Amino acid sequence: MDGKTTKMPKVAKVKNKAPAEIQITAEQLLREAKERDLEILPPPPKQKISDPEELRDYQHRKRKAFEDNIRKNRLVIGNWLKYAQWEESQKQVQRARSIYERALDVDHRNVTLWLKYTEMEMRNRQVNHSRNLWDRAVTILPRVSQFWYKYTYMEEMLENVAGARQVFERWMEWQPDEQAWQTYINFELRYKELDRARQIYERFVMVHPDVKHWIKYARFEENHGFINSARKIYERAVEFFGDEELDERLFIAFAKFEENQKEHDRARVIYKYALDHIPKDRNKELYKAYTIHEKKYGDRSGIEDVIVNKRKYMYEQEVIENPTNYDAWFDYIRLVENEGNVDDIRDTYERAIANVPPSKDKQFWRRYIYLWINYALYEELEAEDIDRARQVYKTCLELIPHKIFTFSKIWLMYAQFEVRCKYLKQARKTLGMALGICPRDKLYRGYIDLEIQLREFDRCRILYQKFLEYGPENCVTWIKFAELETLLGDIDRARAIYEIAVKQPRLDMPELLWKSYIDFEVSQGETDKARHLYERLLERTVHVKVWLSYAKFELNSENADNINTDLARRVYERANDSLRSAGEKESRVLLLEAWKDFETEAGDTDKIEKVLAKMPRRVKKRQKVVSESGVEEGWEEVFDYIFPEDEMVRPNLKLLAAAKQWRKKQVLPENSESNDNQAEEKENSPHTPIEDNENNTENES
């Protein structure tokens, strides 16, 4: 033994240190322990007391334990309650009562303690003790409703109705919540004391002046058949709350009461009174009830009134949420105008126009300004108050920021209003002031139209002169001025106006002015002057429409030798040469088409062939697409026109065609004869009008 050396045990090495596939958590271990009931201890053995001595010993030990707990934690009411309940279980009521009294000395405001104490006395049928305890409890804690409920319930169970009523009266002196009052009322109703219940309701609605309590009071009278009393209660409630504190619930209940009594007229009057006196934002349910009532018992006019009132309420809500919603104001005003009440209409207009757009941007004023227009028209046409309408116009004109923008319509309508009122001087003064503050084309035209209607042509001339000084580039103004002079028979003056107009360096629509000038000369029978005007116009522009109009003029003009056709043909020839030199291919095509139609109507075959020989061919071409930055973006196909006259000027095209023909002969010698014949046919074939020819694309490329 001594010679042998002791070997140390080997430490077991873990060969696989990877985590196990199934992991066990602490929660799982606890759950399994709970399921196997590993921690449940066996219950203590039951003790059986067999003699009084053992009972006294047991009671002494328990009392000592309870007293020790109380000494340790005097303020823990649970220890006192357990002690008292144990004494009660031992039939020691006097001891339990003593424990409760000691506990009350510790905490006399503990509600649970009072309840347990009184319940013990009631269980042991100690009525006087219970009553004494309830009196003490409600005296010390009068705001604890549970004491009062149990106290009155005990007295009622003892059939002491007078005592219960006395307890209720003591309770009501503290003005408790509405549930306490309702309990008192139900107590009286159980014993059929309606008068007492009515008196309690009277006190109840004064202590708690709420709408629902008044409604309960009225329904109490209604349910017991006192209809007149119920109606008086509703009326008293309306007077009690006044106009400021009115509630829609009261009126809905009042109206439904009258509806149940078949007094539909009374109900309708109540609804209307409520709608007139309750603010719009608090009578949503009232509208619904009124609508249902009218649909049930009303006629067509009544239903329409309800719908109108509902729509008015809807519009009122919209304009309150967004005062600058002028479309809602228009609908609202239209609805009010249908009712015909002048004061309401004016009030609505005043409210609408008070919402001035916050921005000085004209687009926000466009709808707003029509409120003023409608207001002024209403005062003039419907209300027939001229002075008020004039004041509306003046106020509107003062409100508009004319230095930033203006509304010509308002100025013109005000001037027309003064003309209707036979104040012509004021109308002219208004328009003159408008032209001085904010001159506009529409103002000039309106003022001129007014003077033309009044046959004041000298004033019209002056206005046209001012108008042209303001906007000399306006061709329509020049034309209207010349037409006025033409109507007045002053031809020379009209021609002079046209001459001044065409010499202006800048015009907005010169083609319209020249056309009007030429038509004026034609209407006066001045063919030579009209032809001279065409020539002057062609010096400024070579537009195809001018040439076409010139040719048409020559064709329709009156000539002594009947040479209209030759003159028109000469115009077409000049136009063709001019457009060819200008490089206007599309315009030239339009000209040739019109020329062909002209020659067809003339019926000259040789001339038609000559025009057809000038018609171009339409071919496809490929051209590069270059962006604005100069980058090539690919190719595109476009149509181009090749005129025979241009081909004669460009011989290189024929040279390229001959070279290509020679190439074909080299590649396909066997088809050379046929290719030569086709080339000869192509050279000898006449030119046809506009046609697609994709082979020409290859020749061009």
Side-chain angles (χ1 to χ4, degrees), residues 212-402:
K212 61 181 181 180
H213 301 149
W214 283 94
I215 295 174
K216 284 183 181 179
Y217 186 14
R219 286 177 179 170
F220 159 77
E221 297 287 356
E222 182 183 1
N223 293 334
H224 291 87
F226 300 103
I227 304 302
N228 292 329
S229 298
R231 184 176 288 115
K232 289 180 181 178
I233 290 168
Y234 278 119
E235 293 173 355
R236 285 174 54 199
V238 174
E239 294 176 359
F240 177 80
F241 289 104
D243 293 339
E244 296 181 357
E245 301 295 331
L246 290 178
D247 196 323
E248 61 178 354
R249 294 177 294 169
L250 176 62
F251 288 99
I252 292 173
F254 194 4
K256 288 184 177 179
F257 162 76
E258 296 292 355
E259 183 179 332
N260 294 333
Q261 306 304 321
K262 310 298 181 184
E263 296 287 348
H264 303 303
D265 293 336
R266 284 177 176 268
R268 188 175 293 110
V269 171
I270 292 168
Y271 278 123
K272 291 183 178 180
Y273 177 85
L275 291 174
D276 293 338
H277 290 78
I278 296 180
K280 303 296 184 182
D281 57 341
R282 291 189 293 156
N283 58 6
K284 188 175 181 180
E285 296 297 328
L286 188 65
Y287 270 113
K288 292 182 180 179
Y290 187 23
T291 305
I292 294 172
H293 175 268
E294 289 297 331
K295 288 181 178 179
K296 285 182 179 179
Y297 309 105
D299 52 3
R300 182 174 181 179
S301 60
I303 295 173
E304 289 179 354
D305 291 340
V306 173
I307 295 173
V308 168
N309 290 331
K310 190 172 183 179
R311 289 177 61 192
K312 285 174 66 177
Y313 171 75
M314 180 182 67
Y315 291 138
E316 191 71 31
Q317 292 298 115
E318 289 184 9
V319 298
I320 289 174
E321 293 176 1
N322 186 8
T324 57
N325 184 3
Y326 301 118
D327 291 329
W329 280 112
F330 284 124
D331 296 335
Y332 191 11
I333 291 169
R334 193 179 303 112
L335 186 65
V336 175
E337 285 181 349
N338 292 332
E339 295 182 353
N341 191 334
V342 178
D343 294 334
D344 290 345
I345 295 170
R346 285 175 174 167
D347 180 64
T348 308
Y349 269 119
E350 292 291 339
R351 289 175 55 199
I353 62 179
N355 299 297
V356 182
S359 175
K360 296 296 183 182
D361 194 351
K362 188 173 183 178
Q363 63 176 349
F364 298 110
W365 286 66
R366 293 185 186 277
R367 296 293 292 165
Y368 170 71
I369 210 67
Y370 276 94
L371 289 172
W372 288 94
I373 293 173
N374 293 345
Y375 189 13
L377 292 177
Y378 169 78
E379 292 291 350
E380 180 186 359
L381 303 178
E382 300 294 334
E384 298 181 356
D385 192 340
I386 303 301
D387 295 334
R388 195 178 182 91
R390 182 178 289 108
Q391 187 62 37
V392 170
Y393 279 119
K394 289 182 178 180
T395 307
C396 177
L397 291 173
E398 292 174 359
L399 183 65
I400 298 172
H402 299 290

Side-chain angles (χ1 to χ4, degrees), residues 68 97 125 142 145 208 253 283 341 355 465 501 590 619 634 654:
D68 291 341
R97 189 178 293 126
R125 300 181 182 280
S145 300
H208 296 283
N283 58 6
N341 191 334
N355 299 297
Q465 292 175 7
L590 293 176
V619 296
K654 290 188 176 182

Side-chain angles (χ1 to χ4, degrees), residues 195-213:
D195 292 336
R196 289 181 180 273
R198 186 177 292 111
Q199 293 174 4
I200 297 168
Y201 263 121
E202 288 288 342
R203 294 159 58 192
F204 177 31
V205 296
M206 293 301 168
V207 173
H208 296 283
D210 197 357
V211 172
K212 61 181 181 180
H213 301 149

Side-chain angles (χ1 to χ4, degrees), residues 67-100:
E67 290 292 343
D68 291 341
N69 288 335
I70 289 173
R71 277 197 302 272
K72 292 177 183 177
N73 298 308
R74 180 180 177 82
L75 298 179
V76 179
I77 302 299
N79 295 333
W80 295 97
L81 294 177
K82 291 177 183 178
Y83 191 8
Q85 289 171 358
W86 181 82
E87 291 290 357
E88 184 185 1
S89 67
Q90 299 298 317
K91 306 299 181 183
Q92 298 292 329
V93 177
Q94 188 64 32
R95 283 180 174 275
R97 189 178 293 126
S98 175
I99 294 167
Y100 275 121

